[in-house]
């Protein structure tokens, strides 16, 4: 025994402890003389109290700290351990109850036993203790005692599941309800028959657990101290493996219980000590650690309770701290470990020596955890959340010098995620999650790299002197630099004696020494914690030495050289360990000699050159490769991962590889992928270098089929507008956004309305100096808004039509008009209130006031522009519709005077809400201001547009106000008559006719003839004169065309004026007679007059629908039914068909508007209203203007129907349906527009519309095809059963429509040989047909049942008997079926299954005489089959053709989708869907070839023989599938 020099106080403590042991021994020997066990127990209970044992514990700890316990004789210590063992036996098996307190017998005995264990562990854990004290039975007894009280007296009070297991059978004492009240839990049922599941407790303070006895907390505190002592024992002595496993088992079980944080902190030390000291048991410990992790909750406020050194950093999970500490403690570093030794040892040695164990166990942990994905899912364990929590914690630890193992753990995780456990897995969910984790890790590494670039601390020492270091880094950092330089000098001297070159970079080596000294000085006084922190230092040394050994190899070739070689690190390791006492004294004088911020910066800089940081480019490349994954969700996950990396370092977007990959994914087939890409780019659009690069790509996605993509693009463009200085790009963006008002999704529409409302109708900003803007500032701001408004409007106006400017008047569907209407009335109720004129009290009244201000600002802008352009030259005389591709229409429209734009702005507000044009003070102010511009004589497009806009505003104001001064009215009518006689633009004539009719309704009181009547008389007289002529001159032709056009619109808007005047010469009946006379002209040169007359009739019918009927009120003789039927027939001229359709469309639109707008009944002062409709027309065609009773036209179900719309629509519906598949594209388009209106109003049964809409899916014109698809989608959403019912009929119509177009194209080609001016028609190509069927299949691809219904309808035609003329149709269906975009194997198998069934049915119907017929004698010619024989074979040959086509189709599908015969035989349509199967489509397989089919081959003996031979060979090859059916 080594003698120590001790002071007098230490000697007194030594003697006192010896005396205490002797007294305890004497008392115990005296108690042992008692023969009665009951008496012994009674004595033993009062033998040694808690206070006595506490005093013994204090004395023992004092001697242990002074390292004097080993000087006490082993006999005394052995005797003391025997006495303490007796106390353990007395307290073993005792359980606390809810009524227990510290004075109870059970509590006293348990506390005494815990103190006894504490004393025993202090003795056994001291240095240089005699070996005879370490008895395995005694250690095992203490471990059992600790485990018992942990489980039965701690866990049961904090976890209901433990109580259910260990206390429920007792039935007394503590109840389960108390457990739940004390520690609320979040229960998750794992099994249906489980009576009580494992509970995860919520975060609650122990002080609030009033139902838990206080003695439980005392026991918990003592047990936590014992766990720390057990950890120290494992570091001191070699404990048997069984005991070590038992210690780690209950040590890990502590982490599954909430609200025992002190125990969990000490359990970390215990598990880490076992993992460090027992290399052979590390595999078992790691397995137990993984099982404990799977029992942990994945969410909650209390999952992270391990405190980190940095106060500003969040905590991490206890289980993460255990894992990191275990891996970190497994590393060893010593001078005896030579360079490259890790590779030269055996596999068994590398798992226990050097840096290799950390690698091995890190890989093992992640591999086993990722491989347990499926089993954890089966047990309903949220393994995804658990792994995510681990990764989050490790990313948090990356910046801490005390946790260098975090980099290694993440590196090993990345290695596993790049393998079959991650992005190469066959399971989609695993690949998604792996990409998500790789994205998070890569983003953190990129962020750290970017931070290091701006914080070059590695060059700090070279650039600064000692004085500067002290001033900038602080006194602690200056001392650290001096100490590090001294350490490095000592290391270099020691290394030079060995003759080994040491330093790569001495300044870098100094900084490394600073970091290592900082970690070394963080060691606490606790021996267990000291060992833990020492493992961080050891890990850092081993890591630096490993990097020095491998410098310049592999991916390390471009990394800056480390500070030194391995030898230098070994010498520095010895220097730091030898200066431990000095460092402790220094730390006592200066609590923080090295600033933590400096240490963190150094550690981050060094981590940048570690393998994990060097692999960030590799990780990013793998993320890019994942963009080509076959699964949509995986590609979306890859995009999100790249988004994380780009957010950390946006410079990545400038890389060409990234740019090309992003542009490819912008057109990805998955909406989720495109949405993620748009999100990625949207976050960085505000940066100028990327905005120009990706602006066009984002703008294209605004018409994406995905609603989420469109919404994101709109939000991105809106945010981009706020920072965009380029006005032309702003207008382009706003124009694109304006067109989205017609989006199918209401959410997109609301988003667009909100954007434009903020631009044009938002509150005026406050001035910088005062709260309110001055009048001048307000005027200037409104002028800027008005200018911005008209610029955007003009751009939309010039872009709305592909052939030129939009036609006036603008429809309510015009983008800017629709936006204003939605802005001024955001709901239907507000819209109704707005149209009634009651603006008070609505929530949009503020917007209406701002809209009035905007109108005034636009008017002022118009007047100012007219002043500036007072002497403007005429615009270029260029027609609106022009086919010359060399003509730059945009430059041409920009040459228009700016006043035209402002006039168009007034027209837009007029269409949106004409009440905005009526001022409160001077209602006719706009009429007065715009009237002078009607006198302009320029006959050019620019002036025509401005005239139409001004006339529309004047007409709206006159109709709203209803009064004008006599002089103003006369002057206005005069100018309007001039326009009607001189203008050559139909738009000007339209508005002039409408405006003069509105002016004529004003009662001047002078008895003068209204202007509308004057111009009407003039044109009627002229038509009466020329209608009797057989042929017209060119001048007369032009005047007649103008007269028909003007009279038609006068009849449309001025019928009431003509009827009130009472002259039969201008009555609607007389006008109709004139129009009919021009319809009877047959000259081809006067075809345009015939079309104009038909248009005039349609306008007259709009105003007076009853004129369409005969005198008897039906469509018989005397009605216009004959004219309409002739114009709507398929043999009529294209122009007449178009005009007839337009007449019906305008009439139905007018009836729809009449049903929405109500007018008060004349002569009735009450609030009652009625619909204004044709029931006001008397039998002679005059309007009943006095509110008298009139008979309704028809009665339906006992209710009156005041409209002819229903009867007209049903009368001509069949004609409209037939014209919807007309060979002329313009006719089809107009027929579709009419179909849309009829279906919207519900005038016919919707079932009849499905066949033509389905047939039009193969239309060669994209516009027709898109409109038909939109209507079909809407109707199928409302009536899916009608779609299924009409599908077979629709497919037949589709085939007939395709043949009809091809026939029309051939006829047109012949006509063009004689007349080159004819338009070229295009037939539906194979691509158009495939696209049509693909769209149809996508439409029904909502669920499995819908897909099967569609496929069954297609295959149904194969089951029916086929005649010779239908063979081509069967081939058509077969080719279309082969081109369908199947998404799952289940669909292909369904088709093949039914093909097999149909083949077996038809094959069984073939008679035996089929082949024998060919053996009969033939005609002498030898080529043609006799007539009677041909008739006999015809039907059987049709069946043979059908069988051959079906077999070839089935074979094609098998090859195309790589299906085996075994899979086909195993399939049943009733089996559940197998989502795990992957659809494989072989691109090398071509299209289905049916070119050999010739229905006329039955007349040829040779062709018949070939067909029979083909069928026999196909049936022979198909025997396996045929028999299986």
């Amino acid at each position: 025994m080594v003698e120590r020099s001790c002071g007098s106080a230490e000697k007194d403590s030594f003697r006192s402890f010896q005396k205490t042991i002797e007294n305890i021994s004497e008392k115990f020997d005296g108690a042992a003389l008692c023969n009665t066990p009951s008496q012994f127990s009674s004595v033993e209970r009062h033998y040694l109290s808690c206070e006595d044992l506490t005093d013994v514990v204090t004395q023992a700890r004092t001697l242990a700290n002074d390292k004097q316990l080993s000087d006490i004789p082993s006999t005394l210590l052995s005797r003391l351990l025997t006495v303490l063992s007796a106390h353990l036996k007395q307290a073993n098996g005792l359980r606390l109850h809810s009524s227990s307190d510290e004075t109870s017998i059970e509590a006293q005995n348990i506390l005494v036993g815990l103190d006894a264990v504490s004393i025993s562990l202090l003795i056994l854990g001291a240095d240089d203790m005699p070996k005879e004290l370490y008895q395995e039975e005694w250690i095992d007894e203490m471990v059992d005692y600790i485990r018992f009280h942990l489980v039965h007296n701690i866990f049961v009070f904090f976890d209901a599941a433990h109580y259910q297991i260990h206390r429920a059978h007792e039935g007394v004492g503590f109840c389960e309800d108390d457990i739940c009240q004390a520690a609320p839990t979040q229960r998750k049922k794992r099994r249906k028959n489980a009576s009580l599941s494992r509970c995860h407790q919520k975060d609650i303070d122990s002080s609030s657990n009033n139902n838990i006895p206080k003695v439980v907390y005392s026991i918990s505190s003592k047990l936590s101290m014992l766990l720390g002592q057990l950890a120290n024992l494992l570091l001191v002595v070699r404990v048997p493996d069984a005991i070590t496993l038992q210690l780690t088992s209950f040590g890990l079980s502590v982490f599954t219980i909430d609200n025992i944080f002190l125990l969990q902190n000490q359990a970390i030390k215990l598990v880490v000590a076992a993992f460090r000291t027992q290399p052979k048991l590390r595999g078992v410990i790691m397995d137990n650690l993984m099982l404990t992790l799977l029992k942990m909750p994945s969410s909650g406020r209390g999952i992270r309770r391990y405190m980190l050194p940095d106060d500003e950093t969040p905590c991490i999970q206890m289980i993460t701290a255990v894992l990191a500490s275990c891996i970190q403690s497994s590393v060893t570093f010593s001078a005896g470990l030579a360079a490259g030794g890790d590779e030269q040892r055996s596999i068994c040695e590398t798992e226990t020596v050097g840096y290799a164990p950390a690698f091995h166990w890190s890989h093992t942990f992640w591999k086993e955890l990722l491989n347990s994905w499926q089993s954890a899912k089966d047990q309903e364990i949220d393994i995804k959340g658990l792994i995510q929590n681990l990764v989050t914690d490790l990313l948090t630890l990356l910046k801490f010098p005390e946790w260098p193992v975090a980099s290694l753990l993440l590196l090993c995780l990345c290695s596993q995620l790049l393998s079959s456990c991650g992005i190469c897995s066959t399971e989609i969910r695993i690949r998604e999650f792996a990409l998500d984790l790789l994205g998070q890790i890569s983003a953190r590494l990129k962020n750290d790299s970017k931070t290091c670039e701006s914080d070059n601390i590695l060059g700090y020492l070279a650039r600064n002197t000692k004085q500067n270091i002290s001033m900038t880094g602080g006194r602690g950092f200056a001392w650290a630099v001096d100490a590090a330089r001294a350490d490095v000098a000592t290391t270099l001297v020691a290394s030079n004696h060995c003759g080994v070159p040491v330093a790569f970079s001495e300044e870098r080596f100094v900084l490394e020494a600073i970091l290592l000294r900082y970690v070394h000085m963080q060691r606490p006084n606790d021996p267990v914690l000291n060992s833990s922190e020492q493992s961080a230092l050891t890990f850092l040394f081993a890591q630096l030495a490993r990097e020095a050994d491998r410098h310049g190899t592999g991916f390390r070739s471009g990394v800056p050289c480390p500070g030194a070689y391995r030898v230098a690190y070994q010498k520095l390791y010895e220097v730091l360990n030898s200066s431990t006492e000095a460092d402790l004294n220094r730390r006592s004088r200066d609590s923080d000699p090295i600033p933590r911020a400096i240490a963190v910066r150094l550690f981050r800089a060094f981590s940048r050159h570690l393998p994990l940081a060097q692999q960030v480019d590799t990780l990013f490349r793998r993320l890019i490769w994942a963009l080509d994954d076959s699964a949509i969700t995986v590609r979306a996950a890859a995009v999100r991962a790249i988004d994380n990396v780009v957010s950390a370092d946006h410079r990545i977007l400038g890389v060409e590889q990234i740019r090309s990959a992003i542009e490819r994914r912008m057109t990805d087939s998955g909406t989720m992928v495109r949405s993620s890409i748009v999100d990625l780019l949207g976050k960085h659009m505000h940066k100028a270098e990327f905005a120009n690069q990706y602006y066009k790509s984002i703008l294209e996605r605004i018409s994406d089929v995905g609603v989420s993509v469109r919404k994101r693009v709109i939000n991105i463009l809106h945010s981009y507008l706020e920072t965009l200085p380029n006005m032309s790009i702003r207008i382009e963006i706003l124009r694109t956004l304006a067109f989205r008002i017609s989006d199918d999704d209401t959410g997109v529409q609301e988003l667009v309305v909100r954007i434009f409302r903020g631009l044009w109708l938002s509150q005026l900003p406050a001035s910088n100096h005062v709260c309110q803007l001055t009048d001048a500032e307000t005027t200037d701001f409104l002028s800027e808004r008005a200018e911005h408004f008209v610029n955007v409007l003009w751009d939309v106006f010039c872009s709305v039509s592909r052939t030129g400017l939009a036609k006036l008047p603008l429809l309510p569907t015009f983008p800017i008009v629709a936006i204003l209407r939605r802005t001024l009335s955001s709901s239907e109720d507000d819209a109704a209130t707005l149209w009634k004129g009651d603006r008070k009290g609505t929530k949009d009244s503020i917007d209406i006031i701002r809209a009035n201000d905007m109108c005034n600002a636009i008017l002022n802008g118009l007047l100012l522009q007219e002043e500036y352009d007072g002497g403007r030259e005429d615009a270029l005389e260029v027609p609106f519709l022009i086919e010359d591709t060399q003509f730059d229409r945009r430059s041409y429209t920009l040459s228009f005077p700016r006043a035209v734009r402002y006039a168009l702005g007034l027209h837009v507000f007029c269409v949106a809400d004409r009440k905005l044009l009526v001022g409160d003070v001077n209602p006719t102010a706009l009429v007065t201001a715009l009237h002078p511009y009607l006198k302009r004589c320029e006959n050019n497009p620019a002036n025509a547009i401005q005239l139409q806009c001004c006339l529309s505003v004047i007409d709206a104001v006159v109709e709203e106000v209803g009064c004008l001064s006599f002089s103003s009215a006369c002057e206005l009518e005069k100018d309007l008559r001039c326009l009607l006689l001189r203008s050559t633009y139909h738009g000007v004539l339209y508005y002039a006719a409408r405006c003069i009719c509105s002016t004529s309704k004003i009662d001047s009181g002078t008895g003068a003839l209204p202007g509308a009547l004057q111009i009407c008389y003039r044109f009627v007289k002229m038509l009466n004169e020329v209608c009797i002529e057989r042929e017209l001159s060119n001048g007369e032709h032009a005047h007649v065309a103008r007269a028909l056009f003007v009279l038609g619109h006068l009849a449309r808007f001025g019928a009431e004026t003509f009827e009130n005047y009472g002259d039969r010469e201008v009555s609607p009946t007389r006008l109709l007679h004139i129009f009919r006379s021009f319809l009877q002209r047959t000259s081809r040169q006067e075809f345009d007059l015939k079309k104009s007359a038909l248009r005039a009739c349609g306008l007259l019918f709009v105003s007076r629908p009853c004129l369409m009927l005969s005198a008897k009120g039906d469509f018989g003789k005397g009605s216009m039914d004959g004219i309409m039927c002739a114009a709507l027939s398929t043999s009529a001229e294209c122009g007449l068909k178009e005009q007839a359709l337009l007449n019906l469309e305008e009439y139905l639109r007018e009836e729809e508007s009449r049903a929405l707008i109500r007018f008060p009944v004349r002569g009735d002062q009450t609030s009652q209203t009625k619909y204004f409709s044709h029931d006001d027309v008397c039998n002679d065609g005059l309007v009943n203007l006095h509110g008298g009773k009139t008979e309704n036209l028809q009665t339906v179900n006992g209710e009156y129907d005041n409209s002819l719309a229903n009867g007209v629509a049903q009368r001509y519906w069949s004609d409209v349906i037939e014209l919807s598949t007309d060979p002329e594209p313009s006719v089809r388009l107009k027929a579709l527009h009419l179909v849309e209106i009829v279906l919207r109003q519900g005038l016919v049964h919707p079932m009849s519309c499905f066949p033509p809409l389905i047939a039009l899916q193969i239309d060669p014109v994209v516009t027709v095809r898109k409109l038909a698809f939109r209507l079909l989608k809407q109707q199928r959403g409302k009536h899916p059963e009608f779609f299924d019912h009409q599908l077979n009929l629709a497919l037949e119509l589709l085939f007939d429509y395709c043949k009809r177009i091809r026939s029309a194209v051939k006829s047109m080609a012949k006509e063009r040989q004689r007349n080159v001016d004819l338009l070229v028609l295009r037939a539906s190509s194979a691509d158009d047909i495939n696209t049509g069927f693909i769209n149809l299949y996508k439409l029904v691809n909502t669920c499995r049942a819908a897909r099967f219904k569609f496929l069954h309808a297609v295959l149904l035609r194969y089951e029916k008997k086929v005649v010779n003329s239908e063979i081509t149709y069967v081939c058509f269906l077969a080719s279309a079926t082969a081109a369908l975009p199947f998404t799952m194997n289940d669909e292909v198998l369904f088709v093949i299954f039914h093909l097999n069934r149909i083949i077996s049915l038809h094959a069984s119907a073939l008679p035996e005489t089929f082949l024998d017929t060919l053996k009969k004698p033939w005609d002498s010619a030898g080529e043609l089959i006799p007539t009677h024989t041909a008739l006999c074979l015809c039907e059987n040959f049709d069946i043979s053709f059908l069988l051959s086509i079906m077999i070839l189709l089935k074979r094609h599908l098998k090859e195309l989708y790589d299906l085996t015969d075994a899979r086909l035989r195993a399939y049943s349509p009733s089996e559940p869907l197998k989502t795990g199967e992957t659809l494989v489509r072989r691109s090398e397989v071509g299209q289905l070839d049916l070119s050999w089919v010739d229905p006329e081959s039955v007349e040829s003996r040779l062709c018949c023989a070939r067909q029979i031979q083909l069928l026999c060979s196909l049936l022979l090859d198909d025997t396996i599938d045929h028999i299986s059916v």
Side-chain angles (χ1 to χ4, degrees), residues 363 366-367 370-371 412-426 430-431 434 438 622:
H363 279 286
W366 290 119
K367 184 176 181 180
L370 293 173
N371 286 334
C412 296
L413 172 61
C414 293
S415 175
Q416 295 298 325
L417 293 178
L418 296 178
S419 66
S420 60
C421 297
I423 62 176
C424 297
S425 173
T426 58
I430 295 180
R431 300 206 299 271
L438 290 174
R622 293 298 184 92

Side-chain angles (χ1 to χ4, degrees), residues 133-141 240 242-243:
L133 297 180
Y134 298 99
Q135 300 181 16
E136 183 176 345
E137 296 80 5
W138 171 229
I139 296 176
D140 188 43
E141 184 179 351
I243 297 178

Side-chain angles (χ1 to χ4, degrees), residues 332-342 345 353-355 542 545 549 566-567 570:
T332 58
F333 184 77
S334 61
L337 190 61
D342 289 348
R345 284 173 168 77
V353 179
Y355 192 73
D549 294 340
R566 175 180 287 271
V567 175
Q570 292 173 349

Side-chain angles (χ1 to χ4, degrees), residues 1384-1491:
M1384 303 190 71
N1385 281 333
D1386 188 55
E1387 305 161 21
V1388 188
L1389 293 171
F1390 179 85
V1391 173
I1392 297 178
F1393 176 85
H1394 283 281
L1395 285 176
N1396 282 332
R1397 178 179 60 82
I1398 299 171
I1399 289 171
S1400 63
L1401 291 176
H1402 285 296
S1404 62
L1406 286 174
E1408 293 292 337
T1409 59
F1410 179 65
L1411 298 177
D1412 297 336
T1413 307
L1414 295 177
K1415 301 177 182 179
K1416 296 181 179 180
W1418 301 101
D1419 186 77
S1420 59
E1423 294 182 359
L1424 297 178
I1425 298 177
T1427 304
H1428 67 281
T1429 306
L1431 293 175
C1432 180
L1433 294 177
C1434 183
E1435 182 178 355
N1436 293 327
F1437 263 89
D1438 293 338
I1439 297 178
S1440 70
F1441 271 121
L1442 181 61
L1443 286 172
S1444 301
I1445 292 170
M1446 287 190 292
I1447 294 174
L1448 288 176
L1449 174 60
K1450 186 180 72 170
R1451 178 184 296 179
H1452 174 77
L1453 293 176
K1454 287 173 56 179
E1455 295 177 357
L1456 182 62
Y1457 295 98
D1458 198 17
L1459 296 174
T1460 61
D1461 292 335
R1463 182 68 184 93
L1464 296 178
R1465 289 194 298 270
Y1467 173 76
S1468 174
S1470 59
E1471 70 181 16
L1473 181 63
K1474 298 179 180 180
T1475 57
E1477 290 186 344
T1478 304
L1479 182 69
V1480 179
R1481 186 182 178 95
R1482 299 169 57 189
S1483 58
E1484 65 271 13
V1485 178
Q1487 296 181 351
L1488 178 63
D1489 184 16
L1490 297 177
S1491 59

Side-chain angles (χ1 to χ4, degrees), residues 1209-1217 1235 1238-1239 1244-1245 1248-1249:
Q1210 294 184 18
R1211 175 65 177 175
Y1212 304 113
W1213 178 245
S1214 59
D1215 297 320
V1216 174
I1217 288 296
V1235 168
V1238 173
L1239 293 176
V1244 297
H1245 197 283
S1248 56
C1249 74

Side-chain angles (χ1 to χ4, degrees), residues 863-1053:
L863 299 177
L864 288 175
Q865 290 297 329
E866 287 292 343
E867 291 180 5
Y868 297 154
D869 303 335
R872 73 187 189 194
E873 299 179 358
D874 293 345
L876 297 175
E877 290 289 347
V878 180
F880 279 19
L881 301 178
I882 189 167
E883 300 297 336
D884 187 7
T885 56
Q886 302 297 327
F887 177 69
D888 189 357
R889 181 163 299 281
R890 183 167 184 83
S891 301
Y892 170 66
T893 55
L894 290 176
S895 66
F896 282 18
R898 294 189 61 84
V900 178
R901 305 186 182 188
Y902 284 91
L904 184 63
L906 291 176
H907 174 70
V908 165
F909 276 93
C910 173
V911 178
D913 184 6
R914 57 177 56 190
K915 298 187 187 315
L916 296 173
L917 306 174
V918 180
D920 296 332
V921 180
N922 185 5
T924 60
L926 281 172
V927 177
T928 306
L930 298 178
H931 185 194
Y933 304 115
L934 303 184
K935 301 179 182 297
R936 281 204 175 132
C937 58
E938 297 96 339
N939 199 11
N940 55 52
N943 192 51
I945 294 176
Q946 185 170 347
L947 277 175
Q948 293 179 64
C949 296
C950 294
L951 286 170
S952 66
V953 174
I954 293 173
D955 175 65
V957 174
V958 170
E959 283 194 355
E960 286 295 321
V961 177
C963 64
L964 279 177
S965 64
F966 176 73
S967 58
S968 298
C970 292
E971 187 68 19
L972 182 59
E973 286 185 346
K974 178 182 176 182
D975 295 332
L976 292 174
R977 288 196 302 270
C978 292
L979 289 175
L980 289 171
L981 294 173
R982 296 177 181 177
S983 180
T984 59
Y985 291 90
H986 280 184
V988 177
L989 296 178
Y990 165 79
Y991 268 115
R994 180 170 181 169
C995 189
I996 200 171
C997 290
S998 300
T999 308
S1000 300
K1001 295 177 184 179
I1002 301 175
D1003 188 6
S1004 61
T1006 62
L1009 190 65
L1013 282 172
Q1014 295 178 28
I1015 198 68
C1016 183
Y1017 277 122
R1018 181 165 183 169
F1019 283 132
V1020 167
K1021 180 180 178 181
M1022 188 261 294
L1023 292 178
N1024 286 330
E1025 292 175 354
V1026 299
C1027 67
I1028 60 176
E1029 298 181 9
R1030 293 186 177 181
E1031 292 187 7
L1032 303 176
S1033 63
N1034 293 335
E1036 291 175 337
H1037 190 98
H1039 289 304
V1040 170
R1042 179 194 296 270
L1044 289 174
F1045 184 87
V1046 174
L1047 280 179
H1049 286 90
L1050 289 176
R1052 166 73 174 83
F1053 300 108

Side-chain angles (χ1 to χ4, degrees), residues 95-167:
R95 292 179 173 86
L96 297 176
H97 299 282
S98 58
S99 58
S100 301
D101 56 12
E102 294 186 356
T103 61
S104 62
I105 297 176
E106 299 87 351
Q108 288 292 320
N109 288 336
I110 293 173
L111 291 173
V112 168
L114 294 176
D115 287 338
V117 174
S118 179
I119 297 172
S120 302
L121 291 177
L122 277 174
I123 295 173
L124 297 178
D127 296 334
D128 301 327
M129 298 303 293
K131 292 184 178 181
E132 56 268 19
L133 297 180
Y134 298 99
Q135 300 181 16
E136 183 176 345
E137 296 80 5
W138 171 229
I139 296 176
D140 188 43
E141 184 179 351
M142 288 189 295
V143 171
D144 287 340
Y145 183 82
I146 295 173
R147 183 194 62 78
F148 177 84
H149 288 293
L150 270 176
V151 174
H152 294 274
N153 290 325
I154 300 298
F155 292 173
V156 296
F157 287 95
F158 291 89
D159 187 77
H162 279 81
Y163 173 82
Q164 184 71 14
I165 296 173
H166 300 289
R167 292 291 185 91

Side-chain angles (χ1 to χ4, degrees), residues 191 195 298 457 470 542 636 757 818 826 857 1032 1242 1284 1366 1402 1425 1463:
R191 298 178 179 86
S195 60
S298 59
I457 194 173
S470 178
R757 183 185 181 278
S826 56
L1032 303 176
D1284 300 332
E1366 296 177 343
H1402 285 296
I1425 298 177
R1463 182 68 184 93

